[in-house]
Amino acid sequence: SYTVVRPGGLSDKPSVGAKGVEVSQGDILSAEIGREDVAEVTVAALLSAQAKDATIECYDSAGETMFGAATGASKLAKTLPEVPAKFIHRADSFEGLMEGVLSDSEMAKTGIVGGYKGSKIEPLNTL
């Protein structure tokens, strides 16, 4: 089994706590996140049965700060689909952020995540 945690851009800012962090799936949304919050999300994900065999993204729910204003999380590319609200998790605790997380195989069934792979990836047993 595995759990993959993909943080947004790392920053050295102090922890905003669970209420200031979002977890999403689908590799669509991103924003900065403090290292302390990434550590908290990672521990919660590893201890959660809900996050088993899952890939999640975590970021500060306020998003990036541009010209002194918070922008919110942004899509990694304009061509990506909109993320349904049920795939964006908010909670009062880091453990609560894992509620509703789907395994990668369940996410594949939603159509949000394609089965993309790099064309040059070779299986380890051929190296």
Side-chain angles (χ1 to χ4, degrees):
S1 101
Y2 65 90
T3 301
V4 177
V5 177
R6 294 178 174 159
L10 295 174
S11 74
D12 291 324
K13 65 183 179 181
S15 173
V16 295
K19 290 182 180 181
V21 172
E22 287 180 0
V23 167
S24 65
Q25 294 185 267
D27 199 17
I28 295 173
L29 298 175
S30 188
E32 285 185 339
I33 186 168
R35 286 173 168 80
E36 289 178 53
D37 290 323
V38 173
E40 293 281 2
V41 169
T42 301
V43 170
L46 292 173
L47 295 175
S48 171
Q50 191 74 39
K52 181 181 175 193
D53 298 332
T55 302
I56 60 173
E57 291 77 43
C58 61
Y59 46 86
D60 187 323
S61 61
E64 310 293 333
T65 302
M66 294 185 172
F67 308 109
T71 63
S74 59
K75 288 181 13 177
L76 294 170
K78 290 179 182 177
T79 58
L80 291 171
E82 293 299 321
V83 181
K86 68 180 177 179
F87 298 121
I88 301 173
H89 309 283
R90 298 173 184 94
D92 292 338
S93 68
F94 287 100
E95 296 79 12
L97 289 169
M98 301 306 129
E99 291 178 21
V101 168
L102 300 177
S103 69
D104 287 346
S105 61
E106 289 297 314
M107 274 302 290
K109 294 175 189 176
T110 67
I112 297 291
V113 178
Y116 61 88
K117 294 182 182 178
S119 60
K120 306 269 184 197
I121 297 175
E122 299 292 330
L124 287 177
N125 63 0
T126 64
L127 300 176

